[in-house]
Amino acid sequence: DGGITQSPKYLFRKEGQNVTLSCEQNLNHDAMYWYRQDPGQGLRLIYYSQIVNDFQKGDIAEGYSVSREKKESFPLTVTSAQKNPTAFYLCASKAGPSTDTQYFGPGTRLTVL
Amino acid sequence: GENVEQHPSTLSVQEGDSAVIKCTYSDSASNYFPWYKQELGKRPQLIIDIRSNVGEKKDQRIAVTLNKTAKHFSLHITETQPEDSAVYFCAASGSNYQLIWGAGTKLIIKP
């Protein structure tokens, strides 16, 4: 877990603004994931990437975008098209296709003002 | 589609008693079943996991059992302590290297 960092810890956004959440890992993991968690709810998959320069939509990709230009970085952009973005955002990574365990970063709490 | 059901949504037990949380999965191809603990405002952390070639796994006060035929698995916590209070999530491996998550169980340990 200590090898995955997310920044910022808290983020405030005005309506109509795009914001980018950072996720970095130094574990040399191939796969990275973004989840959204609403208060008192479970984890919903936004996007995931199994390898550099490749990513797939999860269950709730609308209003979000990602890039995977470097193995250690998987930033998430919350666009103005996401109408209800206030939530806790968690990034996770796992070593590769032959492994299953996902390790989570500390999360970013996004609030729309 | 792929689905994991988790019960109960809230579980309240007396300190020192045992707690059991149950999950049922839909995809017979699932072969990996982790359990995560999430304290308020923190990240989920893996506490125990099991693979489909094993029926039971134990780590001190925590155990997980798997019934592949019935497609369900359970988390058992014995001698519960106040620090066990948290939300627990089960998951099952799905297609495309994803995990399919249960909705979570809030475990409350009463003093």
Side-chain angles (χ1 to χ4, degrees):
Chain A
D1 287 6
I4 305 173
T5 58
Q6 292 185 241
S7 62
K9 186 173 182 180
Y10 298 98
L11 186 57
F12 298 91
R13 189 194 94 170
K14 294 182 180 178
E15 285 191 20
Q17 280 184 336
N18 291 356
V19 291
T20 297
L21 283 58
S22 169
C23 178
E24 304 277 330
Q25 52 97 1
N26 62 4
L27 302 169
N28 200 35
H29 284 179
D30 286 326
M32 298 185 75
Y33 303 80
W34 274 106
Y35 292 95
R36 171 179 171 145
Q37 187 175 35
D38 291 288
Q41 303 297 311
L43 303 173
R44 293 189 289 169
L45 183 64
I46 305 172
Y47 269 98
Y48 63 104
S49 168
Q50 298 298 325
I51 197 169
V52 176
N53 292 323
D54 187 45
F55 49 83
Q56 287 80 40
K57 293 181 179 180
D59 300 321
I60 56 165
E62 186 174 350
Y64 300 97
S65 66
V66 293
S67 63
R68 188 82 188 278
E69 297 176 0
K70 297 186 295 182
K71 187 175 186 177
E72 60 269 25
S73 179
F74 191 39
L76 173 75
T77 297
V78 184
T79 74
S80 56
Q82 171 51 239
K83 296 307 178 187
N84 187 22
T86 295
F88 188 45
Y89 291 86
L90 287 157
C91 178
S93 71
K94 78 178 179 81
S98 60
T99 65
D100 297 296
T101 304
Q102 293 184 20
Y103 298 95
F104 285 86
T108 292
R109 193 166 299 279
L110 173 63
T111 303
V112 173
L113 302 174
Chain B
E2 299 167 318
N3 175 253
V4 172
E5 292 188 0
Q6 183 172 349
H7 298 283
S9 56
T10 303
L11 178 61
S12 183
V13 301
Q14 205 71 37
E15 182 178 349
D17 288 350
S18 296
V20 180
I21 302 170
K22 300 180 179 181
C23 289
T24 303
Y25 60 98
S26 61
D27 186 355
S28 56
S30 294
N31 59 9
Y32 174 69
F33 307 91
W35 286 89
Y36 286 79
K37 175 183 180 181
Q38 186 180 29
E39 297 177 352
L40 190 63
K42 302 289 182 64
R43 74 187 88 186
Q45 294 197 303
L46 180 73
I47 56 171
I48 196 167
D49 56 12
I50 192 168
R51 298 194 177 276
S52 57
N53 58 348
V54 176
E56 183 174 358
K57 184 177 179 180
K58 192 173 182 179
D59 182 4
Q60 298 182 16
R61 297 186 298 108
I62 293 173
V64 56
T65 58
L66 172 65
N67 183 327
K68 284 184 353 182
T69 303
K71 290 194 281 188
H72 66 71
F73 56 111
S74 300
L75 177 71
H76 304 254
I77 306 174
T78 58
E79 300 172 8
T80 53
Q81 300 170 4
E83 54 265 35
D84 295 329
S85 293
V87 178
Y88 292 81
F89 291 98
C90 65
S93 56
S95 57
N96 297 321
Y97 311 108
Q98 297 178 44
L99 288 176
I100 310 303
W101 295 87
T105 296
K106 183 176 183 180
L107 177 61
I108 300 167
I109 308 300
K110 297 181 290 185

